[in-house]
Amino acid sequence: MKKNYTSDNQEPILKINNLKVYFDTDEGLIKAVDGVDLKMIKGTTLGLVGESGCGKSITCLSILRLIPSPPGIIADGEIIYKGKNLVELSEKDMEAIRGNDISMIFQEPMTSLNPVFTIGDQIKEVIMLHQKKTSIEAKELTIHILDKVGIPSPEIRINDYPHQMSGGMKQRVMIAMALTCNPEILIADEPATALDVTIQAQILDLMQSLQDESGMSILMVTHDLGVVASIASHVAIMYASKIVEYGSVEEIFENPRHPYTLGLFTSIPIIGEKKEDLYVIPGNVPNPLAFPKGCKFWPRCLFATKICKVLEPSLEEIKQDHKAACHFSKSIDKYIWKEKIKNA
Ligand SMILES: Nc1ncnc2c1ncn2[C@@H]1O[C@H](COP(=O)(O)OP(=O)(O)OP(=O)(O)O)[C@@H](O)[C@H]1O
Ligand code: SF4
Ligand SMILES: [Mg+2]
């Protein structure tokens, strides 16, 4: 069951403050993440949504300090986990946190499995790296965890090589690997995007039931607002390196206030709604080497005015547990939005 909490009243298990991650490239400085604030509440799922290139994966990789460096650096900010600032920890301390406390399912899981080792050996290796287990104990644990993620006959399938498994099975193996050490936080970067719809639903159900069992917190990156609605308690909408709207799923779905969020919602076909009501956000996410001045969304925004082109809005509270970064978010709502797109 999805848990609903007011995040304002809960001590977060992970808190990101003003995170900035830059890439110093030959073409110029790419500000991939530029002042992101986020919090995760224990035992719940936070959805992180946004178009391609807006900084979702880089935010996730920063938490585990896996930003390729050079050219990347964490230029500023804090990532607080159990009172420690992960940005300042030594590599040795981070190694102890990766996999044990915080695990990640990477965006390209199919390429994360080594084709020349059996899946059993690959999971065993992760267990033996992080836990003091003998080879026999690690094998038993591998079979147990494969069983838990729904791999039939795990005692036989541990001898399979990745190419002998279907996409859905490989994804389950990746989840099993991420869960071997019973992490407090699971970062799932588009864990089901490459899979067909039925398998996607099974993977999400599986993650949800594992969360119910273990109380882990999940950061779920997705393009799919349907996934957010089914699994997350809170959602952060990211655009061009910043969070532009944040709140409980109920509040954001019922009362979106940022024109980008409204555009994302109106671009999903809903059964029973007229095709004319669909809206496609014009243009593309801006090139990070040439972000527009002011609000980065203004070239695509139906509400943009002079001030938007010069002054970047900050993330302001609309009400408890709901924030948006738009100069006009207190007056824009879904009714005004509907009128606007009708006349656009
Ligand atoms: N190694 C790198 N060197 C230079 N720029 C990078 C590097 N990795 C990422 N970037 C840039 O950082 C920005 C954010 O990338 P990120 O991968 O976080 O996007 P994303 O939101 O995860 O997109 P997608 O939905 O396609 O996965 C992009 O502009 C990307 O080009
Ligand atoms: S600040 Fe202006 S351009 Fe940006 S989202 Fe709000 S209305 Fe649109
Ligand atoms: Mg990504």
Side-chain angles (χ1 to χ4, degrees), residues 197-246:
V197 182
T198 324
I199 309 287
Q200 253 188 51
Q202 286 174 13
I203 296 286
L204 293 176
D205 278 353
L206 169 69
M207 291 175 70
Q208 185 83 72
S209 62
L210 293 170
Q211 179 178 56
D212 291 343
E213 232 174 77
S214 70
M216 73 180 167
S217 315
I218 302 176
L219 176 58
M220 169 69 75
V221 176
T222 177
H223 283 97
D224 189 338
L225 285 161
V227 168
V228 170
S230 68
I231 194 169
S233 67
H234 284 78
V235 57
I237 311 284
M238 196 163 185
Y239 185 75
S241 77
K242 287 188 187 290
I243 304 299
V244 295
E245 189 153 15
Y246 167 84

Side-chain angles (χ1 to χ4, degrees), residues 52-58 107-108 189-190 221 223:
S52 190
C54 66
K56 305 179 299 293
S57 293
I58 297 300
Q107 192 168 3
E108 305 294 342
D189 191 357
E190 310 248 13
V221 176
H223 283 97

Side-chain angles (χ1 to χ4, degrees), residues 149-205:
V149 299
I151 304 266
S153 315
E155 61 294 341
I156 297 169
R157 299 306 296 260
I158 51 166
N159 300 315
D160 281 4
Y161 288 88
H163 74 271
Q164 293 172 287
M165 305 194 107
S166 68
M169 285 294 166
K170 274 190 274 207
Q171 190 65 329
R172 283 168 191 261
V173 171
M174 293 308 304
I175 295 176
M177 246 183 213
L179 295 173
T180 42
C181 301
N182 215 358
E184 299 233 17
I185 296 177
L186 176 68
I187 302 171
D189 191 357
E190 310 248 13
T193 307
L195 305 172
D196 71 49
V197 182
T198 324
I199 309 287
Q200 253 188 51
Q202 286 174 13
I203 296 286
L204 293 176
D205 278 353

Side-chain angles (χ1 to χ4, degrees), residues 22-322:
Y22 298 165
F23 290 94
D24 194 2
T25 69
D26 290 344
E27 289 77 38
L29 191 67
I30 293 179
K31 296 185 173 181
V33 172
D34 198 18
V36 159
D37 296 318
L38 276 181
K39 59 184 167 189
M40 291 180 67
I41 308 300
K42 192 170 168 44
T44 69
T45 298
L46 170 66
L48 184 58
V49 178
E51 285 167 291
S52 190
C54 66
K56 305 179 299 293
S57 293
I58 297 300
T59 303
C60 295
L61 291 169
S62 307
I63 298 172
L64 285 173
R65 289 255 309 275
L66 291 175
I67 297 296
S69 175
I73 51 155
I74 297 185
D76 202 358
E78 308 180 305
I79 301 171
I80 306 293
Y81 170 70
K82 289 191 172 166
K84 290 181 198 148
N85 181 3
L86 300 186
V87 172
E88 288 174 348
L89 286 195
S90 66
E91 183 50 32
K92 194 164 166 265
D93 288 342
M94 271 316 295
E95 272 169 21
I97 286 190
R98 287 185 203 119
N100 284 326
D101 292 64
I102 309 178
S103 270
M104 181 156 170
I105 303 169
F106 292 91
Q107 192 168 3
E108 305 294 342
M110 308 314 171
T111 53
S112 310
L113 286 172
N114 192 326
V116 299
F117 293 105
T118 64
I119 55 130
D121 281 347
Q122 293 185 57
I123 299 176
K124 251 175 74 182
E125 194 186 303
V126 175
I127 294 171
M128 290 171 74
L129 185 74
H130 290 285
Q131 300 179 38
K132 286 195 180 79
K133 301 272 182 209
T134 63
S135 176
I136 292 171
E137 287 168 340
K139 184 178 171 188
E140 275 169 13
L141 201 55
T142 301
I143 292 171
H144 172 73
I145 195 102
L146 286 175
D147 183 46
K148 214 162 147 184
V149 299
I151 304 266
S153 315
E155 61 294 341
I156 297 169
R157 299 306 296 260
I158 51 166
N159 300 315
D160 281 4
Y161 288 88
H163 74 271
Q164 293 172 287
M165 305 194 107
S166 68
M169 285 294 166
K170 274 190 274 207
Q171 190 65 329
R172 283 168 191 261
V173 171
M174 293 308 304
I175 295 176
M177 246 183 213
L179 295 173
T180 42
C181 301
N182 215 358
E184 299 233 17
I185 296 177
L186 176 68
I187 302 171
D189 191 357
E190 310 248 13
T193 307
L195 305 172
D196 71 49
V197 182
T198 324
I199 309 287
Q200 253 188 51
Q202 286 174 13
I203 296 286
L204 293 176
D205 278 353
L206 169 69
M207 291 175 70
Q208 185 83 72
S209 62
L210 293 170
Q211 179 178 56
D212 291 343
E213 232 174 77
S214 70
M216 73 180 167
S217 315
I218 302 176
L219 176 58
M220 169 69 75
V221 176
T222 177
H223 283 97
D224 189 338
L225 285 161
V227 168
V228 170
S230 68
I231 194 169
S233 67
H234 284 78
V235 57
I237 311 284
M238 196 163 185
Y239 185 75
S241 77
K242 287 188 187 290
I243 304 299
V244 295
E245 189 153 15
Y246 167 84
S248 69
V249 165
E250 285 71 18
E251 171 67 10
I252 300 294
F253 276 62
E254 191 46 44
N255 187 24
R257 292 304 189 102
H258 194 286
Y260 181 57
T261 315
L262 284 153
L264 289 179
F265 279 129
T266 338
S267 60
I268 324 167
I270 296 171
I271 296 168
E273 285 210 359
K274 284 184 268 164
K275 222 165 137 198
E276 308 84 89
D277 291 338
L278 269 184
Y279 170 81
V280 179
I281 306 171
N284 296 303
V285 175
N287 178 345
L289 289 166
F291 277 148
K293 204 168 174 273
C295 173
K296 294 195 187 87
F297 189 56
W298 78 253
R300 309 175 73 189
C301 183
L302 295 175
F303 294 91
T305 66
K306 254 186 186 169
I307 191 178
C308 306
K309 299 178 189 181
V310 288
L311 187 64
E312 184 158 32
S314 50
L315 200 59
E316 303 281 348
E317 189 164 276
I318 290 174
K319 61 196 240 200
Q320 198 193 22
D321 225 18
H322 186 179

Side-chain angles (χ1 to χ4, degrees), residues 15 144 151 290 320 330 339 343:
K15 198 160 191 283
H144 172 73
I151 304 266
Q320 198 193 22
K330 290 214 164 89
E339 281 307 304
N343 303 321

